[in-house]
Amino acid sequence: MTKSLRQEYENILEVMNKYYEAQVKGDSGILKPVCHKNAIMHGLAGDILLEGSIENLFAFIDKTGAQPELKARFDVITLEETIANVHCCLEGKTNTYSDLFQLLKIDGEWKIISKIFHQYR
């Protein structure tokens, strides 16, 4: 892995760690700066389809509150110049999530532009 590619990988993981930190602390304000203003999310929470603006994720994080027991694992699946795909396994006391994120490098910064997820109960 070249030095520049390694740095991009680390930059992407910094973005994803903001997602994890926001969940653990129950504070969407931590996540908002690394999300594109028009980011979207879709997924199934049980039989319920959740979809639309990333604002729905922010509201969920704030409503749920701190989850200090959460454990996360991130795998960068694709990293090509200005695009990246990241898989996240998020495990908690009551729920486990499998998330797929798409990131875009805009003006030198990686931003989450979409999230698709499945919630295991």
Side-chain angles (χ1 to χ4, degrees), residues 10-22 31 34 72 74-76 86-88 99-103 112:
E10 293 299 323
N11 293 343
I12 290 165
L13 289 180
E14 284 180 27
V15 169
M16 298 314 304
N17 281 325
K18 293 294 183 186
Y19 169 72
Y20 176 61
E21 182 183 357
L31 179 61
V34 297
F74 299 109
D75 299 303
V76 178
V86 178
H87 178 244
C88 169
D99 301 322
L100 295 171
F101 289 90
Q102 288 73 48
L103 288 80
I112 294 170

Side-chain angles (χ1 to χ4, degrees), residues 19 38-46 48-57 97-102 112-119:
Y19 169 72
N38 295 322
I40 59 170
M41 73 166 211
H42 291 79
L44 288 169
I48 301 169
L49 176 63
L50 301 175
E51 59 186 334
S53 168
I54 201 73
E55 293 292 330
N56 294 324
L57 176 59
Y97 295 89
S98 182
D99 301 322
L100 295 171
F101 289 90
Q102 288 73 48
I112 294 170
I113 60 163
S114 67
K115 170 187 170 174
I116 188 167
F117 71 93
H118 178 80
Q119 176 188 30

Side-chain angles (χ1 to χ4, degrees), residues 73-84:
R73 186 188 84 233
F74 299 109
D75 299 303
V76 178
I77 299 169
T78 307
L79 172 52
E80 300 287 343
E81 299 284 326
T82 61
I83 61 171

